[in-house]
Amino acid sequence: MHGCHPLTIEVTTYGASQVITPVLLHDGDECILVDCGYPDSIPQLEQAMALAGFTLERITKMIATHHDIDHIGALGALKRLLPDAVLIAHEIEVPYLEGTQKSQRQEQAESTLHALPPEAVPAAEQFIALLASVEKAAVDRQVRHGDMLPWCGGLEVIHTPGHMSGHISLYLRASKTAIAGDAVVIEEGELHIANPQYTLDLEEAVASVRRLMSYEIDTLICYHGGCFQGNVQDALRDLVNRNSTMGRTHKETE
Ligand SMILES: [Zn+2]
């Protein structure tokens, strides 16, 4: 028996509440957590896991889709709590997760600091300090595009760069379910590229949506937005069309 449980976690950041959706996969004794939330969101994670019928201690593997704080903030603490849990990430993400290289998000925030209006600088500096404070975690297993992990009837790694260069999505063959991470997000019922301001390479992000289109997906789980309601293939195609039209219009007006 295996299963896939999107975990609905409500968190408050900068005074605003938001819902994030890590995913718990289980297959026999294996319990695989895909993304884990902010540094202080372990109690909420524990609660959401309990609702799905699992305790935190059951986790045997953790997969990081990419090294953004809302996805991996709690990884270091989880690894301390669960020293035997195996951390899996794309090879590009390893130096960022392990802290041998500065986070891409921090680099981005630092590089745009000088262009901000003075009143926005303190918040940006606070954000940078927060990113710098994220606890690092050693990666136990590196993966790349096309790798097949043996759980839940085959868990395929899809490299979906753009939002970040080592970003991965996952495809569960048996249930035709895709765990998108931040490759796409749901806003007001529609699929979108994750906040373009935080997308490091927009063109690559659109190419990654095209890549997702080559999988037969019945269920699409987005970290921001949860399970997509509607025809996934049509929605992905529509997203690509909207963005390629933007690209063309842009070029024509140059
Ligand atoms: Zn992200």
Side-chain angles (χ1 to χ4, degrees):
M1 261 302 275
H2 49 79
C4 170
H5 307 271
L7 305 174
T8 305
I9 295 181
E10 201 176 327
V11 289
T12 306
T13 41
Y14 297 111
S17 95
Q18 61 159 315
V19 172
I20 52 174
T21 315
V23 177
L24 188 72
L25 303 169
H26 77 97
D27 184 357
D29 289 336
E30 294 287 358
C31 214
I32 305 133
L33 179 66
V34 183
D35 290 336
C36 65
Y38 286 91
D40 54 359
S41 53
I42 290 181
Q44 290 99 314
L45 174 70
E46 207 164 6
Q47 244 171 30
M49 281 184 65
L51 282 176
F54 295 87
T55 58
L56 206 62
E57 292 68 34
R58 292 269 310 267
I59 296 172
T60 55
K61 308 273 188 301
M62 298 188 284
I63 302 179
T65 60
H66 65 296
H67 66 280
D68 260 331
I69 187 168
D70 53 333
H71 294 253
I72 55 89
L75 261 190
L78 282 172
K79 283 213 86 176
R80 274 186 286 111
L81 282 169
L82 310 162
D84 295 332
V86 172
L87 174 57
I88 301 166
H90 190 276
E91 55 186 355
I92 294 174
E93 291 295 291
V94 175
Y96 304 112
L97 289 166
E98 297 190 339
T100 55
Q101 217 165 315
K102 194 189 282 180
S103 137
Q104 289 185 331
R105 191 64 67 216
Q106 191 181 335
E107 287 278 7
Q108 182 196 30
E110 287 174 353
S111 71
T112 52
L113 198 58
H114 69 281
L116 291 176
E119 65 273 17
V121 169
E125 282 175 338
Q126 210 184 332
F127 181 57
I128 290 167
L130 177 68
L131 295 181
S133 73
V134 170
E135 189 175 342
K136 309 305 177 212
V139 176
D140 304 294
R141 179 168 177 184
Q142 304 181 17
V143 291
R144 48 200 71 75
H145 181 68
D147 280 1
M148 185 67 78
L149 301 169
W151 314 296
C152 300
L155 184 58
E156 192 174 339
V157 175
I158 313 173
H159 185 207
T160 42
H163 180 74
M164 268 186 179
S165 46
H167 187 287
I168 54 169
S169 301
L170 298 162
Y171 182 65
L172 288 142
R173 281 198 171 172
S175 58
K176 294 181 182 162
T177 297
I179 301 170
D182 279 356
V184 288
V185 297
I186 303 169
E187 286 165 15
E188 290 167 10
E190 209 179 45
L191 289 186
H192 289 271
I193 298 289
N195 193 344
Q197 189 196 338
Y198 289 117
T199 295
L200 298 180
D201 187 327
L202 202 52
E203 234 167 85
E204 215 171 42
V206 175
S208 287
V209 179
R210 279 209 185 85
R211 182 171 261 183
L212 285 175
M213 282 168 65
S214 63
Y215 294 78
E216 201 182 324
I217 303 170
D218 287 345
T219 304
L220 176 70
I221 305 168
C222 301
Y223 197 71
H224 304 284
C227 289
F228 179 72
Q229 306 293 321
N231 184 297
V232 176
Q233 318 297 330
D234 289 353
L236 290 172
R237 193 176 313 113
D238 181 51
L239 172 57
V240 167
N241 287 341
R242 267 184 281 137
N243 281 277
S244 36
T245 313
M246 265 200 288
R248 270 203 300 278
T249 313
H250 183 64
K251 282 210 180 76
E252 278 158 12
T253 52
E254 269 171 4

